[in-house]
């Protein structure tokens, strides 16, 4: 087994703190043994984008280090942008092992004895993560290369195992080299390149391979050295020195070749690596091994491919459809995931547009939600190139989540069909061998790959869509109640940003909370939900979450339930609703009113004063401003109590979109929520007059009482 980012990691260490103030990073050091990669190290050609080099939400540049299992390596720490005290920074890996920093800012670390993805974190004196390095641990693999002279062709002396091992060291791959020879009298000249879309080799290449066929072993790689080569141009018109189809074990080297040529072609064969350029982004711009600039760099995602190529080994005889100038792409017409516990589907760009399919040619970014533990099926409708069309075909597939959970789609027979326009297509349904897991996924890419099952599997399609897993316990309670479950899915997904790792619970909460802070929360149909729109105090139904969705209006308790249950739907169990009351009593021993933070015309913070005659809920006229609430700029300004959500020791006030504030149950210290939310207190006396006291900022004047807890 190999390591890298395919290994399922501990949830706690998957994601950087979203609030971390990143100030330092990591650099390669001259004495390092294995690979180091980051986007700032030079031009990365067609790979210079977030798909290959993602950044954190605040723009932090992730960097990557490779290492062999059980071995030791080194990395430099870059303090140039760090404003804190260097000696206070602590470095730990994801297992909590502390790493020692030398005087020259070099970290020494030793890899585990099994393939894995480790991280090195930097923490400041307050325990905030200020840096992160991906450490990809690989088992050393050895590949056997046979260099075959055709008709006495020359082999450059620079081509050695040591030379290849140095180039491929970042991928923790070594080579052994042996030589052989064959004579083919009829082969006077040799023509470069593959044959056509369904064959990786041309007639000259096939003649060589057929002559040597009995000596070819599936576990070896063979490079045939030939002279007198004609038409040495690739599809871009560039002169080339060799040819090896991606994923094959046989290639050709021209006119003696060179160490770089051999390494480049083995990149195609051993690692299934593509070129570092395209027709619109010309070669020679990078120092990557897979460019034509004679560079030897390997990028971090190439380490993974070399260690674990995403394809099946191809012998030379098998006409493979992913070699040079070869395509076997299925045209996916529709794709749908079916489940008894599937939440309604909506287009990412317009949540009011309900969809009937997950994938159609015009819509590729689709949001889907399922309840955890659900079984599911995949229905797909597609066409195939004419050369691959048969009356009956066998297709299989797989899905691989961001967390490396693999979902297999077993072999299924598909029959050829013809629609009313004469289009030939196939349609089949796969029942997954897995259920959606019970772990937190939040909102992830779930690429699905389809393979045509023949002598060797032919990959015909790869489709990316997003799936969110919801906690069934909370979601089932409100399923089909005024789009409540769908709205929880919508509120969870709408603020998603691209991620290369599953999100931590804190990141999930932050993304959901972001939708509440804008004070424009809507249901999944795009209809606004209001906080105290009618300023009605006698409607007890307004405390219910169901009423918030049926009447589009709710109290602070209803809003607290909405935020709490949306978090709970993601499988986060540390969720509580607290009731907040003032410490002062009225003359009839009822609780005093609490006023949301407004600006009073007068009053003081030491004692209650009579401002004017009035009755309960008459405080709005005493405030020059009131705090705006959800979709309501002038909600009720005073009340007997208030409800908030406390999660992971943070206070969230969904009604007003304020917070999070640190939670403390210290009765002697004013809470952060109180300081930022309370303008003052109201008291009534026997004379039915209102008495006002402003909030005293150095004194705690409210109490938090737990109203509901998921624990």
């Amino acid at each position: 087994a190999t390591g890298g980012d395919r290994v399922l990691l501990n949830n706690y260490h998957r994601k950087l703190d979203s609030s971390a103030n990143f100030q330092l990073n990591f650099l390669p050091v001259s004495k390092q043994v294995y690979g180091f990669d980051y986007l700032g190290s030079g031009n990365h050609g067609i790979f210079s984008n977030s798909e290959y080099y993602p950044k954190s939400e605040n723009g932090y540049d992730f960097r990557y280090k490779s290492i062999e299992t059980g071995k030791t390596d080194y990395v430099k720490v870059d303090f140039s942008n760090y404003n804190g005290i260097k000696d206070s920074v602590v470095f730990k890996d994801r297992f909590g092992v502390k790493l020692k920093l030398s005087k020259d800012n070099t970290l020494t670390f030793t890899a585990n004895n099994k393939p894995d993805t480790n991280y090195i974190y930097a923490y400041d004196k307050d325990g905030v993560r200020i840096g992160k390095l991906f450490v990809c641990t690989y088992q050393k693999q050895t590949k056997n290369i046979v260099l075959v002279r055709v008709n006495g062709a020359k082999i450059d002396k620079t081509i050695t195992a040591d030379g290849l091992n140095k180039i491929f060291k970042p991928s923790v791959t070594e080579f052994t080299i042996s030589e052989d020879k064959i004579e083919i009298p009829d082969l006077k000249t040799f023509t470069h390149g593959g044959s056509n879309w369904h064959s990786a080799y041309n007639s000259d290449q096939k003649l060589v391979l057929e002559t040597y066929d009995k000596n070819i072993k599936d576990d070896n790689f063979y490079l045939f050295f030939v002279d007198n080569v004609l038409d040495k141009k690739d599809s871009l018109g560039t002169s080339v020195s060799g040819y090896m189809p991606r994923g094959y074990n046989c290639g050709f080297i021209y006119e003696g070749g060179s160490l770089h040529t051999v390494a480049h072609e083995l990149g195609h064969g051993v690692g299934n690596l593509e070129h570092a350029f395209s027709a619109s982004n010309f070669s020679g711009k990078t120092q990557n091994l897979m460019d034509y600039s004679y560079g030897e760099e390997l990028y971090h995602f190439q380490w993974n491919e070399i260690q674990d190529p995403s394809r099946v080994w191809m012998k030379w005889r098998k006409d493979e459809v992913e070699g040079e100038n070869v395509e076997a792409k299925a045209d996916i017409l529709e794709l749908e995931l079916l489940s008894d516990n599937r939440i309604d589907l909506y287009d990412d760009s317009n949540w009011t547009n309900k969809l009937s399919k997950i994938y159609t040619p015009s819509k590729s970014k689709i949001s889907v939600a399922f309840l955890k533990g659900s079984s599911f099926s995949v229905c797909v409708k597609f066409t195939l190139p004419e050369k691959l069309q048969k009356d009956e075909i066998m297709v299989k597939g797989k899905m691989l989540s961001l967390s490396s959970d693999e979902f297999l789609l077993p072999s299924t027979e598909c029959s050829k069909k013809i629609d009313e326009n004469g289009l030939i297509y196939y349609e089949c349904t796969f029942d997954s061998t897995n259920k959606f897991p019970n772990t937190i996924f939040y909102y992830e890419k779930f690429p699905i790959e389809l393979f045509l099952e023949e002598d060797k599997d032919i990959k015909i399609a790869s489709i990316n869509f997003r799936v969110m897993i919801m906690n069934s316990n909370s979601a089932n309670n409100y399923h089909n109640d005024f789009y409540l479950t769908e709205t929880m899915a919508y509120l969870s997904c709408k603020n998603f940003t691209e991620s290369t790792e599953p999100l931590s619970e804190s990141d999930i909460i932050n993304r959901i909370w972001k939708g509440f802070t804008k004070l424009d929360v809507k249901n999944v149909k795009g209809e606004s939900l209001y906080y105290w729109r009618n300023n009605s105090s006698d409607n007890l139904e307004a405390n219910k979450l169901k009423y918030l969705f049926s009447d589009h209006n709710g109290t602070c308790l209803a809003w607290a339930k909405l935020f709490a249950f949306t978090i709970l739907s993601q499988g986060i169990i540390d969720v509580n609703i607290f009731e907040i009351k003032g410490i002062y009593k009225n003359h009839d021993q009822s609780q005093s009113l609490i006023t949301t933070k407004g600006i009073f015309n007068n009053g003081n913070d030491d004692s209650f004063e009579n401002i004017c005659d009035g009755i309960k809920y008459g405080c709005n006229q005493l405030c020059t401003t009131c705090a705006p609430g959800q979709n309501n700029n002038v909600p009720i300004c005073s009340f007997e109590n208030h409800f908030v959500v406390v999660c992971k020791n943070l206070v969230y006030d969904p009604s007003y979109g304020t917070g999070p504030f640190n939670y403390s149950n210290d009765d002697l210290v004013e809470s952060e929520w109180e300081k930022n939310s309370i303008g003052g207190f109201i008291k009534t006396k026997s004379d039915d007059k209102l008495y006002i006291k402003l909030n005293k900022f150095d004194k705690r004047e409210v109490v938090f009482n737990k109203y509901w807890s998921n624990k």
Side-chain angles (χ1 to χ4, degrees):
T2 55
D5 59 3
R6 293 175 178 266
V7 180
L8 180 62
L9 304 176
N10 182 293
N11 267 347
Y12 178 77
H13 299 284
R14 286 172 174 169
K15 188 70 177 149
L16 284 159
D17 297 331
S18 60
S19 60
N21 182 19
F22 300 110
Q23 295 179 344
L24 60 80
N25 220 316
F26 300 87
L27 293 170
V29 62
S30 58
K31 64 179 179 179
Q32 73 179 22
V33 181
Y34 299 95
F36 191 96
D37 181 37
Y38 67 106
L39 188 58
S41 62
N43 189 347
H44 283 55
I46 61 173
F47 305 121
S48 300
N49 57 62
S50 60
E51 179 181 355
Y52 297 96
Y53 292 91
K55 294 185 178 183
S56 69
E57 286 187 341
N58 53 11
Y60 185 73
D61 178 18
F62 292 120
R63 303 185 180 190
Y64 306 84
K65 184 82 182 74
S66 66
I67 191 172
E68 181 182 347
T69 53
K71 299 297 183 181
T72 298
D73 210 349
Y74 312 91
V75 68
K76 195 86 167 180
V77 180
D78 179 12
F79 286 95
S80 59
N81 293 320
Y82 182 56
N83 299 321
I85 301 173
K86 171 184 168 183
D87 292 342
S88 67
V89 179
V90 175
F91 298 90
K92 296 180 181 179
D93 66 12
R94 75 179 180 95
F95 302 103
V97 177
K98 191 173 181 179
L99 306 177
K100 186 176 181 180
L101 184 70
S102 66
K103 292 182 179 180
D104 65 350
N105 297 336
T106 299
L107 283 176
T108 303
F109 59 96
T110 301
N112 296 325
N113 290 321
K114 63 178 182 179
D116 199 354
T117 297
N118 199 349
Y119 305 130
I120 293 177
Y121 293 109
Y123 299 87
D124 67 10
K125 61 182 179 60
D126 297 318
V128 175
R129 293 179 187 169
I130 56 175
K132 178 181 180 181
L133 174 70
F134 286 78
V135 180
C136 303
T137 306
Y138 302 109
Q139 190 84 39
K140 183 172 72 174
Q141 60 177 352
T142 301
K143 303 296 182 182
N144 302 316
I145 311 299
V146 181
L147 310 182
V148 184
R149 298 177 188 266
V150 179
N151 294 340
K154 54 185 173 291
I155 298 178
D156 191 88
K157 293 182 179 180
T158 63
I159 303 170
T160 64
D162 288 343
L164 290 176
N165 294 342
K166 181 179 179 181
I167 293 174
F168 285 89
K169 190 76 171 182
S171 67
V172 194
T173 301
E174 289 190 353
F175 296 89
T176 66
I177 290 181
S178 60
E179 289 192 24
D180 202 355
K181 61 183 179 180
I182 55 171
E183 295 293 329
I184 308 177
D186 293 337
L187 188 68
K188 304 301 183 183
T189 59
F190 188 88
T191 304
H192 162 74
S195 175
N196 51 44
W197 77 266
H198 67 280
S199 180
Y201 299 104
N202 63 28
S203 57
D204 287 346
Q205 294 162 344
K206 286 183 177 180
L207 176 60
V208 173
L209 297 173
E210 288 168 354
T211 304
Y212 196 75
D213 180 52
K214 63 181 180 180
N215 299 309
I216 294 178
K217 299 178 181 179
D218 288 351
D219 293 336
N220 291 343
F221 293 84
Y222 297 85
L223 294 175
F224 295 88
F225 286 73
V226 291
D227 293 336
N228 303 316
V229 182
L230 306 176
D231 300 327
K232 293 186 292 184
K233 300 284 186 180
D234 67 2
S235 57
L236 299 179
T238 305
S239 180
V240 296
S241 303
Y243 174 77
M244 192 170 193
R246 291 175 60 191
Y248 281 73
N249 64 344
C250 292
F252 295 85
I253 305 298
Y254 307 149
E255 317 297 348
S258 65
L259 176 64
H260 181 272
T261 298
V262 168
H264 178 99
E265 300 306 331
L266 288 175
H268 287 312
V270 173
N272 195 25
L273 302 182
E274 61 181 307
H275 282 134
F277 54 85
S278 64
S280 60
N281 193 331
F282 299 113
S283 62
K285 290 187 176 181
T286 80
Q287 290 302 307
N288 190 264
L289 177 65
M290 304 314 296
D291 205 335
Y292 285 166
S293 57
Y294 299 99
E296 297 180 353
E297 293 179 356
L298 287 172
Y299 303 149
H300 68 95
F301 50 89
Q302 294 174 320
W303 307 337
N304 290 330
E305 282 299 304
I306 294 169
Q307 278 277 333
D308 188 12
S310 56
R311 50 85 181 92
V312 180
W313 286 118
M314 298 294 176
K315 289 175 59 178
W316 74 268
R317 299 185 209 86
K318 181 70 182 74
D319 284 340
E320 210 267 352
V321 293
E322 291 190 2
E324 185 177 354
N325 298 326
V326 177
E327 290 189 359
K329 293 182 179 178
D331 183 10
I332 305 299
L333 304 177
E334 294 177 351
L335 187 145
E336 186 174 14
L337 267 68
L338 301 177
S339 173
D340 291 338
N341 289 317
R342 190 186 80 184
I343 312 302
D344 285 340
L345 314 180
Y346 295 86
D347 183 352
D348 275 352
S349 61
N350 181 9
W351 280 81
T352 63
N353 177 23
K354 187 174 179 180
L355 300 171
S356 59
K357 302 291 182 184
I358 286 179
Y359 176 90
T360 62
S362 62
K363 297 181 182 298
S364 58
K365 290 185 176 181
I366 306 303
S367 299
V368 193
F370 294 88
L371 302 186
K372 71 177 185 180
S374 303
S375 57
F376 66 97
S377 300
V378 178
C379 296
V380 61
K381 180 179 178 181
F382 60 94
T383 65
L384 285 173
E386 184 178 355
K387 295 280 187 176
L388 296 178
Q389 293 176 5
K390 299 178 183 178
D391 289 339
E392 303 287 342
I393 61 173
M394 294 297 293
V395 180
K396 66 180 181 181
K398 67 178 180 179
M399 297 164 59
L400 187 68
S401 78
L402 202 62
S403 305
S404 300
D405 290 284
E406 190 171 69
F407 302 84
L408 299 179
L409 308 176
S411 299
T412 301
E413 186 175 75
C414 300
S415 299
K416 183 166 68 174
K417 299 180 180 181
I418 303 177
D419 68 10
E420 64 275 9
N421 298 316
L423 177 69
I424 297 174
Y425 69 95
Y426 298 86
E427 193 168 16
C428 54
T429 299
F430 305 95
D431 293 321
S432 173
T433 58
N434 307 67
K435 295 182 178 181
F436 285 114
N438 294 335
T439 53
I440 295 174
F441 282 86
Y442 183 58
Y443 189 35
E444 289 193 4
K445 275 186 178 179
F446 268 68
I448 182 170
E449 296 179 347
L450 298 180
F451 300 86
L452 190 62
E453 193 174 49
E454 294 190 344
D455 295 337
K456 295 289 185 180
D457 296 337
I458 300 175
K459 183 176 175 181
I460 58 174
S462 180
I463 306 167
N464 282 316
F465 57 92
R466 306 196 188 287
V467 168
M468 186 185 70
I469 310 302
M470 298 182 69
N471 183 290
S472 58
N473 293 333
S474 61
N476 275 337
N477 292 337
Y478 297 97
H479 199 51
N480 294 326
D481 257 358
F482 303 102
Y483 302 98
L484 194 149
T485 303
E486 290 87 343
T487 297
M488 289 194 295
Y490 165 56
L491 294 176
S492 298
C493 295
K494 69 189 296 284
N495 291 310
F496 174 82
T497 53
E498 197 67 56
S499 174
T500 58
E501 299 176 318
L503 301 176
S504 69
E505 290 189 354
S506 294
D507 288 313
I508 293 171
I509 296 169
N510 289 339
R511 280 166 168 75
I512 295 173
W513 180 242
K514 184 177 180 181
F516 284 76
T517 60
K518 299 176 182 178
L519 299 182
D520 62 352
V521 173
K522 296 177 175 60
N523 66 15
V524 75
K525 298 175 67 177
E527 300 165 339
S528 295
L529 303 178
Y530 296 87
Y531 170 59
W532 279 115
R533 176 176 54 176
N534 301 323
N535 283 347
S536 175
S537 62
D538 55 359
N539 188 351
L540 296 180
E541 291 294 309
N543 287 323
K544 297 180 179 180
L545 189 56
K546 183 176 181 179
Y547 186 85
L548 176 60
F549 279 78
S550 63
D551 195 58
H552 301 160
N553 181 41
T555 66
C556 55
L557 179 54
W559 278 96
K561 290 177 180 177
L562 175 60
F563 181 61
F565 293 154
T566 302
I567 295 173
L568 186 61
S569 75
Q570 295 301 311
I572 300 172
I573 62 174
D574 181 16
V575 185
N576 309 276
I577 296 177
F578 275 75
E579 181 184 24
I580 303 174
K581 292 186 176 183
I583 63 174
Y584 304 105
K585 300 289 185 180
N586 293 324
H587 71 283
D588 58 359
Q589 296 303 305
S590 64
Q591 287 290 334
S592 65
L593 302 178
I594 303 174
T595 304
T596 57
K597 187 157 189 158
I599 302 174
F600 290 92
N601 290 322
N602 45 43
N604 66 76
D605 61 4
D606 288 322
S607 61
F608 285 88
E609 294 182 359
N610 174 232
I611 303 300
C612 67
D613 294 342
I615 58 174
K616 281 188 177 183
Y617 302 100
C619 183
N620 280 40
Q621 58 191 306
L622 304 180
C623 301
T624 57
T625 63
C626 284
Q630 296 291 347
N631 292 298
N632 185 2
N633 289 327
V634 190
I636 190 169
C637 203
S638 61
F639 30 75
E640 295 184 15
N641 57 4
H642 191 61
F643 290 90
V644 296
V645 175
V646 177
C647 185
K648 295 186 174 297
N649 284 319
L650 293 174
V651 179
Y652 300 84
D653 193 340
S655 308
Y656 295 96
T658 57
F661 308 106
N662 289 323
Y663 172 71
S664 171
N665 57 5
D666 187 348
D667 291 338
L668 301 178
V669 179
E670 184 180 34
S671 71
E672 285 190 12
W673 175 87
E674 180 182 358
K675 182 180 296 184
N676 288 276
S677 306
I678 299 301
F681 303 88
I682 299 174
K683 198 173 182 181
T684 59
K685 295 184 180 181
S686 57
D687 57 7
D688 288 331
K689 293 181 178 180
L690 290 179
Y691 291 81
I692 304 297
K693 177 188 176 301
L694 300 185
N695 182 23
K696 194 175 184 64
F697 290 143
D698 58 354
K699 178 183 178 182
R700 190 174 187 117
E701 298 175 286
V702 300
V703 291
F704 283 72
N705 297 311
K706 187 174 292 187
Y707 175 83
W708 175 89
S709 177
N710 184 56
K711 290 187 176 180

